[in-house]
Amino acid sequence: MKIIEPSVELWAITPNAEQLIERAGRVAWQSEPKEGADATEKFIRMIMGKNHGSVLEHASATLSFIMDRGVSHETVRHRVGISFTQESTRYVSYDKGKHGSQITVVRPPMTNVEEVDAWDEGVKAAEESYMRMIAAGSKPQIARSVLPTCTKTQIVVSANFRAWIHFFGLRCAPDAHPQMQQVAKMALKILWKECPAVFGPALAKWCPEE
Ligand SMILES: Cc1cc2nc3c(=O)[nH]c(=O)nc-3n(C[C@H](O)[C@H](O)[C@H](O)COP(=O)(O)OP(=O)(O)OC[C@H]3O[C@@H](n4cnc5c(N)ncnc54)[C@H](O)[C@@H]3O)c2cc1C
């Protein structure tokens, strides 16, 4: 049994995404890009201020998340402008078999020793049951039924920028699950570094400490 922290990695992003968004947006006005260091940013913020959201759909980014499988169930509820590919608990065997995988879990935020003890006990019991089922002849797709919700999953998420902003609006908010907020904010910070004009307002709202 391995216990890990969640993580997020950028796999791909539209090259020169903000310039592309500006160029596409200016088609509406049949205007030319303006000179000046912050001209693109001003144009993009103007577009966003008008909720002219379709312009943001011309750029997209792909991120790979390592997260709690329960949190991934919330992630895949998003339907519009977003695509997923996820590690399969049907095909991966966590008994250190063919792919050398082992049961890996993401520890949730806990505040006291009793909580941690109870959680440790639960995940160890689940691991033991899984191994016993595999040893008894179960396929991974059957033995997976005893895996805990906190089982680590890898999920690759591709979305256009409008869909990412919508995702951050729901998943960085204080009423989202704490572990959902954690990975959503990691993703937001990554995309903000790449495209500050597009993701700056979301960062200022959801990660004001940055
Ligand atoms: C704090 C929180 C708690 C939640 N709790 C629960 C829960 O207890 N149980 C549960 O089942 N789900 C729950 N959800 C999931 C939630 O209901 C949505 O399924 C999920 O957040 C995806 O949001 P979305 O539909 O806006 O996103 P997307 O699917 O990406 O859609 C984007 C936008 O497109 C539009 N749209 C998409 N599809 C349609 C459609 N068919 N008709 C009309 N407009 C559409 C809407 O404007 C939507 O906001 C929760 C979500 C949050 C953030």
Side-chain angles (χ1 to χ4, degrees):
M1 165 90 56
K2 199 168 152 193
I3 302 174
I4 58 159
E5 291 296 317
S7 59
V8 184
E9 191 183 342
L10 178 68
W11 275 14
I13 190 162
T14 301
N16 303 314
E18 293 191 333
Q19 285 70 30
L20 174 65
I21 289 167
E22 179 181 13
R23 193 172 176 191
R26 285 190 182 279
V27 166
W29 285 270
Q30 291 287 292
S31 63
E32 292 296 323
K34 302 264 184 305
E35 296 290 323
D38 60 353
T40 299
E41 178 174 353
K42 273 193 186 150
F43 183 82
I44 289 175
R45 293 286 166 84
M46 180 275 289
I47 290 266
M48 291 172 73
K50 289 182 186 297
N51 288 326
H52 191 356
S54 62
V55 181
L56 300 177
E57 296 169 15
H58 296 293
S60 60
T62 299
L63 297 170
S64 170
F65 292 78
I66 302 288
M67 61 163 79
D68 169 298
R69 207 172 162 89
V71 175
S72 79
H73 292 177
E74 301 178 12
T75 306
V76 300
R77 291 296 302 276
H78 291 265
R79 297 158 288 177
V80 179
I82 191 162
S83 308
F84 309 97
T85 302
Q86 183 166 14
E87 171 179 345
S88 168
T89 50
R90 289 189 62 203
Y91 305 137
V92 177
S93 181
Y94 298 103
D95 64 339
K96 297 190 186 169
K98 202 163 110 193
H99 304 293
S101 298
Q102 61 176 313
I103 293 180
T104 303
V105 292
V106 178
R107 193 192 291 277
M110 293 177 284
T111 51
N112 64 62
V113 179
E114 289 76 18
E115 265 186 301
V116 175
D117 282 350
W119 182 84
D120 278 344
E121 211 176 285
V123 290
K124 279 179 192 145
E127 180 184 40
E128 195 192 321
S129 295
Y130 184 91
M131 296 307 178
R132 279 177 55 199
M133 287 182 75
I134 295 285
S138 296
K139 297 273 185 241
Q141 66 179 356
I142 300 300
R144 77 173 183 179
S145 67
V146 295
L147 290 174
T149 300
C150 62
T151 299
K152 156 259 171 190
T153 193
Q154 179 174 14
I155 180 164
V156 179
V157 185
S158 298
N160 68 52
F161 283 5
R162 187 185 199 180
W164 276 121
I165 289 170
H166 180 72
F167 178 84
F168 296 137
L170 292 177
R171 302 308 185 176
C172 296
D175 51 355
H177 188 282
Q179 289 171 284
M180 183 80 245
Q181 288 182 53
Q182 185 185 18
V183 289
K185 287 179 182 180
M186 285 179 188
L188 172 55
K189 286 174 195 171
I190 289 172
L191 294 184
W192 167 71
K193 281 198 181 118
E194 299 290 324
C195 295
V198 173
F199 295 101
L203 189 90
K205 184 164 185 186
W206 303 119
C207 310
E209 71 286 357
E210 284 293 309

